[in-house]
Amino acid sequence: MSDQKPPKREFNPRSHAMIYLMAIVYLAYLIFQMVKGYLAGGPDAPSFALLAGGVALLGGGCILLGILAWKMSAMAPKEEDQADGSEQAGEDRSGNEEKES
């Protein structure tokens, strides 16, 4: 029995932000369908109380996911800058070694 854990995958904040944005679009679509059903009327139309509650709940989800997506997208450039800096430092070192030799 070995206690080795599988290697962790790197965290990609841009992919998380894109998934959050897709979820926002879906929630906005659900709000649109609910409002459209209310405005069309008929026996299957939601009541005003159900419409207000649904819009509040789904709209709150949109806002929450929007904040999370914004934080993830703001986090992404910082990680890329650090990765670029370490790659450039490695290139400079290899370039200096060649010049010295």
Side-chain angles (χ1 to χ4, degrees):
M1 293 187 163
S2 67
D3 294 330
Q4 295 178 353
K5 295 181 182 178
K8 289 186 177 182
R9 296 182 191 176
E10 289 189 28
F11 176 71
N12 188 354
R14 286 188 190 241
S15 64
H16 284 258
M18 292 306 292
I19 291 172
Y20 292 152
L21 289 175
M22 288 180 3
I24 290 170
V25 170
Y26 181 66
L27 291 177
Y29 169 76
L30 291 177
I31 292 171
F32 172 75
Q33 290 297 322
M34 188 178 287
V35 170
K36 186 173 102 175
Y38 177 77
L39 294 176
D44 293 333
S47 66
F48 181 75
L50 183 62
L51 175 71
V55 168
L57 183 68
L58 296 173
C62 283
I63 292 170
L64 177 67
L65 287 173
I67 292 169
L68 289 173
W70 178 73
K71 285 184 178 182
M72 289 293 166
S73 65
M75 184 187 302
K78 292 177 186 174
E79 290 183 357
E80 287 178 358
D81 290 343
Q82 290 174 355
D84 290 342
S86 64
E87 290 174 3
Q88 289 176 357
E91 291 173 2
D92 290 343
R93 288 180 190 158
S94 63
N96 289 340
E97 290 174 5
E98 291 175 12
K99 290 178 183 176
E100 291 175 5
S101 298

